[in-house]
Amino acid sequence: MKLRRLLTLIIFLTAVGLGSYVIYDNQAEQNNDENQRLLDEYLANEGIERDEQGEEPAPTSGLQVGDEALDFELPQVYGDEQLTLSELEGNYVVLNMWASWCPPCRDEMPDFIDFYEKYKDDGVEVVGINMTTQERNNEAVEQFVDDFDIPFYTVLDEDGEILDGYEVRHMPTTLIIDPDGKVAMRRPGFINYEMLEDYYKDIRQSYEKEA
């Protein structure tokens, strides 16, 4: 009798253990599937960060290749100085629109710094434009700039002039302006050093060939 109860107990515990394993395994599989789905979605969006409400990115719009870049005069992060885009005409100008809460913006910033340090003496300017109307406060912006010790111009789009005029719908968004002040490249989403350098070299080669 005792042996029968012992066997029953062993069978019961084994069944509970197997059941728990099946539930755990199913949960783990579901978590893996969800993680893979999010990764696939991120890559499909080319590194484009959703907004804080989790909405899908809007279709690419705004100034496109060949358009005249809209001039602007915006305050720099520190000090009272203003930066005017037209003052940089004659150079290749990289405009990088970013927000402090945007992970891809943070991920790509070291590459923009490396690019600037390499090409700043070759007629290249980099301008970081913070989408200030999308920020919680200016302290977050200043902290972002300080964290990376950004060496190039960084300005504040305090009134949404760039957000609306350039129709920035993705964070980050990067444009390259040629020496004539025309848009030579527009890319929404994350961009790394190799991509940025390839875009720049192709644009420079094409521009100098036509000059």
Side-chain angles (χ1 to χ4, degrees), residues 27-202:
Q27 289 177 338
E29 185 175 349
Q30 289 174 359
N31 289 338
N32 288 337
D33 289 345
E34 177 64 11
N35 290 338
Q36 185 62 48
R37 184 188 68 77
L38 292 174
L39 177 59
D40 291 343
E41 183 180 272
Y42 181 80
L43 294 175
N45 286 335
E46 297 182 299
I48 297 170
E49 179 70 6
R50 295 183 178 197
D51 65 23
E52 292 183 291
Q53 286 72 44
E55 296 176 358
E56 293 291 345
T60 299
S61 57
L63 294 179
Q64 299 299 323
V65 173
D67 293 342
E68 193 80 20
L70 298 179
D71 198 11
F72 59 74
E73 184 176 2
L74 297 174
Q76 298 189 46
V77 172
Y78 292 116
D80 300 323
E81 295 184 4
Q82 304 272 321
L83 176 69
T84 303
L85 179 61
S86 56
E87 293 177 355
L88 305 179
E89 192 165 325
N91 297 292
Y92 295 90
V93 182
V94 179
L95 301 180
N96 177 238
M97 289 76 160
W98 58 270
S100 64
W101 47 261
C102 159
C105 300
R106 180 172 289 274
D107 291 343
E108 70 181 10
M109 186 55 66
D111 288 344
F112 277 87
I113 294 172
D114 289 344
F115 176 83
Y116 172 74
E117 294 293 355
K118 181 174 181 178
Y119 291 104
K120 64 182 179 181
D121 296 327
D122 293 337
V124 175
E125 295 284 357
V126 176
V127 180
I129 307 179
N130 173 254
M131 302 288 97
T132 315
T133 59
Q134 308 301 301
E135 295 283 358
R136 294 185 180 87
N137 51 59
N138 283 352
E139 287 74 16
V141 179
E142 294 175 1
Q143 186 63 56
F144 185 100
V145 175
D146 290 344
D147 285 346
F148 292 101
D149 194 20
I150 298 175
F152 48 76
Y153 294 117
T154 302
V155 296
L156 303 172
D157 184 32
E158 295 178 318
D159 299 322
E161 174 185 347
I162 301 301
L163 186 71
D164 295 335
Y166 279 78
E167 294 187 53
V168 180
R169 299 294 177 260
H170 303 141
M171 235 69 93
T173 289
T174 301
L175 284 76
I176 296 181
I177 313 299
D178 72 19
D180 294 332
K182 292 185 178 181
V183 178
M185 184 277 284
R186 178 185 178 111
R187 176 183 170 82
F190 176 83
I191 183 171
N192 61 29
Y193 180 90
E194 290 74 18
M195 296 161 63
L196 183 58
E197 186 174 57
D198 286 345
Y199 280 127
Y200 163 67
K201 287 182 175 179
D202 288 345

